[in-house]
C-alpha cells in the first residue's frame, strides 16, 4: 500500500501557516488593524471638534514627520532582531547633521563629499558599537549608551549651536514632493524595502533571525554571531546617518540637539516594539516597524489637531506602548504553553 506523506516546508521569517484568523493574530496584522482603528477614532474625535481629519495637508505632514523616525526605526529593527539595540542613534543624528551642513556650506559641489563623510562616520560608530559588544562582551545597552555619551561630549565641545548651511538643492530632500508623496517619504520607503529584502531574501537576513533567536545555537550551527551583530550595528548607524542628512536638509543647517530633541533613540525602539518585534530578538520584521511608526505619527496628528498638551501626549503614548508589549507578551506565552 502506498502512503502519501505531505511534508510542509519550514516557514520563512515572519511567515505563518494557518487560516485568516491565525494570520490576523500576527503582530504585523495587529498593528495595521490598530492603525485603522486609530484613524477611525481620530476621524470621529476631530469631527466632534468641528475640524477635518486626514486632509491632504495632514497626510503630507504625517509622511514628512514620520520619515526620519521611520528610517532610524528600520535600522533599530535590524539591531533588535539580532538581540541587540542602539541608544547612540540620537546623538549620531545630531553629529551627522552638523558634519553634513558644515561640509556643504551652501555649495552644491560639496554634497557628494558631505554624504560620503556622513556615511563613513556612521559606519565607524556602528563598527565601534558592534566591537564593544562582541569583543569586550559589554551589554548592548551599556555599550551604546557609552558611545552616545562620547558623541555627546564631542558635539558639546565643538558646537554651541546650529552650524553650516545646506544648499537649496539638497533641501529638496526635506520639503519637496512628487504629487502627494514627499521625497523624504520615498527615501524612507526605499530604506524599508532594502531592509525587507535583506531580511527575507538574503543569507544575512536568516542569520540575523538565527542569532536573535538563540545566539548559542546559531554559533554551534557555524554562524559567526559576532560578525552578524557588528553588521547589524553598522547598518543601524548608517540609517541614523541617513536620517541626519534628511534633517539637515529639512532645517537648512546642522543642529547639535536635533537628534535628542526628536527623541529618536527611545522613539525608534518604541516604534519597533509597537510593530511586534521582540526585544529579545529573533521575531518581527520591517513591515511591523513601518506600522508602528505610522501609528505614532497618526497619534501625534490627532493630538495636534485636538490641541492636547504635551504631558497628556506622553502619558497616552506610554500607555499605548505598555499595552502593546503586554498584548504581545501574553500571546507569546499562550503559544508556548
Amino acid at each position: 500500500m502506498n502512503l502519501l506523506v505531505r511534508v510542509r516546508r519550514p516557514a520563512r521569517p515572519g511567515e505563518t501557516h494557518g487560516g485568516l484568523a491565525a494570520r490576523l493574530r500576527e503582530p504585523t496584522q495587529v498593528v495595521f488593524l490598530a492603525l485603522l482603528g486609530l484613524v477611525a477614532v481620530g476621524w470621529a474625535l476631530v469631527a466632534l471638534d468641528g475640524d477635518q481629519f486626514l486632509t491632504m495637508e495632514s497626510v503630507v505632514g504625517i509622511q514628512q514627520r514620520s520619515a526620519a523616525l521611520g528610517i532610524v526605526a528600520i535600522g533599530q529593527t535590524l539591531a533588535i532582531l539580532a538581540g541587540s539595540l542602539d541608544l547612540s542613534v540620537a546623538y549620531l543624528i545630531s553629529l551627522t547633521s552638523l558634519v553634513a551642513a558644515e561640509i556643504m556650506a551652501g555649495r552644491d559641489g560639496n554634497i557628494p563629499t558631505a554624504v560620503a563623510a556622513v556615511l563613513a562616520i556612521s559606519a565607524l560608530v556602528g563598527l565601534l558599537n558592534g566591537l564593544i559588544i562582541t569583543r569586550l562582551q559589554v551589554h548592548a545597552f551599556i555599550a551604546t549608551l557609552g558611545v552616545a555619551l562620547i558623541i555627546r561630549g564631542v558635539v558639546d565641545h565643538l558646537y554651541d549651536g546650529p552650524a553650516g548651511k545646506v544648499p537649496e538643492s539638497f533641501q529638496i530632500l526635506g520639503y519637496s514632493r512628487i504629487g502627494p508623496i514627499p521625497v523624504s517619504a520615498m527615501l524612507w520607503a526605499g530604506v524599508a524595502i532594502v531592509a525587507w529584502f535583506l531580511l527575507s531574501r538574503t543569507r544575512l537576513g536568516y542569520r540575523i533571525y538565527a542569532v536573535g533567536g538563540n545566539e548559542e545555537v546559531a554559533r554551534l550551527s557555524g554562524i559567526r554571531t559576532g560578525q552578524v551583530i557588528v553588521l547589524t550595528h553598522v547598518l543601524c548607524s548608517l540609517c541614523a546617518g541617513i536620517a541626519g542628512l534628511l534633517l539637515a536638509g529639512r532645517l537648512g543647517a546642522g543642529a547639535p540637539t536635533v537628534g535628542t530633541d526628536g527623541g529618536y533613540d527611545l522613539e525608534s525602539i518604541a516604534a519597533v516594539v509597537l510593530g511586534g518585534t521582540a526585544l529579545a530578538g529573533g521575531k518581527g520584521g520591517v513591515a511591523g516597524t513601518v506600522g508602528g511608526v505610522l501609528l505614532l505619527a497618526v497619534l501625534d496628528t490627532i493630538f495636534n489637531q485636538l490641541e492636547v498638551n504635551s504631558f497628556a501626549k506622553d502619558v497616552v503614548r506610554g500607555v499605548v506602548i505598555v499595552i502593546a508589549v503586554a498584548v504581545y507578551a501574553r500571546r507569546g506565552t499562550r503559544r508556548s504553553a
Side-chain angles (χ1 to χ4, degrees):
M1 180 174 63
N2 294 327
L3 296 177
L4 179 61
V5 179
R6 184 177 181 182
V7 179
R8 177 177 290 176
R9 66 170 176 81
R12 294 176 180 270
E15 180 183 3
T16 59
H17 295 291
L20 177 62
R23 289 198 299 271
L24 289 178
R25 290 194 295 268
E26 288 305 304
T28 301
Q29 282 75 22
V30 169
V31 72
F32 279 101
L33 287 174
L35 179 60
L36 289 175
L38 182 62
V39 169
V41 171
W43 200 301
L45 291 175
V46 173
L48 288 175
D49 200 47
D51 202 352
Q52 290 186 338
F53 185 58
L54 290 187
T55 61
M56 179 62 70
E57 181 181 354
S58 64
V59 170
V60 171
I62 289 173
Q63 295 178 73
Q64 288 178 330
R65 286 194 301 273
S66 63
L69 175 60
I71 293 170
V72 180
I74 295 300
Q76 198 76 257
T77 302
L78 299 176
I80 291 176
L81 282 174
S84 190
L85 55 78
D86 192 343
L87 294 177
S88 66
V89 290
Y91 290 104
L92 180 57
I93 288 172
S94 299
L95 176 62
T96 52
S97 74
L98 291 161
V99 170
E102 283 203 318
I103 293 177
M104 291 179 193
R107 298 180 181 179
D108 292 343
N110 291 342
I111 291 177
T113 304
V115 172
V118 163
L119 295 181
I121 291 172
S122 301
L124 183 62
V125 171
L127 180 62
L128 179 61
N129 280 328
L131 291 177
I132 292 174
I133 294 167
T134 57
R135 297 295 178 87
L136 300 182
Q137 298 298 307
V138 179
H139 192 277
F141 183 93
I142 301 300
T144 57
L145 179 60
V147 172
L149 294 176
I150 292 172
I151 298 173
R152 175 185 175 181
V154 171
V155 171
D156 289 345
H157 176 70
L158 296 178
Y159 301 97
D160 295 325
K165 183 180 180 182
V166 176
E168 292 184 4
S169 59
F170 193 77
Q171 293 181 31
I172 292 174
L173 189 64
Y175 289 103
S176 295
R177 64 188 192 189
I178 299 176
I181 305 176
V183 174
S184 57
M186 294 180 183
L187 178 62
W188 176 28
V191 171
I193 290 171
V194 170
W196 170 84
F197 182 84
L198 183 148
L199 289 173
S200 62
R201 295 292 184 269
T202 69
R203 188 172 298 176
L204 175 60
Y206 286 103
R207 289 175 176 173
I208 289 173
Y209 279 102
V211 172
N214 192 314
E215 185 176 351
E216 182 62 19
V217 171
R219 185 183 66 80
L220 294 174
S221 300
I223 297 175
R224 295 182 177 179
T225 58
Q227 288 187 0
V228 173
I229 293 172
V230 170
L231 278 172
T232 57
H233 274 281
V234 170
L235 293 172
C236 182
S237 294
L238 285 173
C239 287
I242 294 171
L245 288 168
L246 172 60
L247 292 173
R250 184 174 298 169
L251 297 173
T257 60
V258 66
T260 52
D261 287 347
Y264 290 105
D265 42 8
L266 299 182
E267 288 277 327
S268 61
I269 295 173
V272 174
V273 171
L274 280 175
T277 296
L279 276 175
K283 295 180 181 179
V286 171
T289 297
V290 171
V293 172
L294 291 175
L295 193 67
L296 292 176
V298 170
L299 198 59
D300 278 344
T301 300
I302 294 172
F303 289 150
N304 290 337
Q305 290 199 245
L306 295 177
E307 298 181 353
V308 177
N309 66 65
S310 59
F311 172 77
K313 288 183 184 180
D314 291 338
V315 170
V316 174
R317 286 159 71 94
V319 169
V320 168
I321 292 168
V322 170
I323 291 175
V325 174
V327 169
Y328 295 147
R330 286 177 62 84
R331 283 177 45 250
T333 302
R334 288 176 181 174
R335 288 184 178 181
S336 61

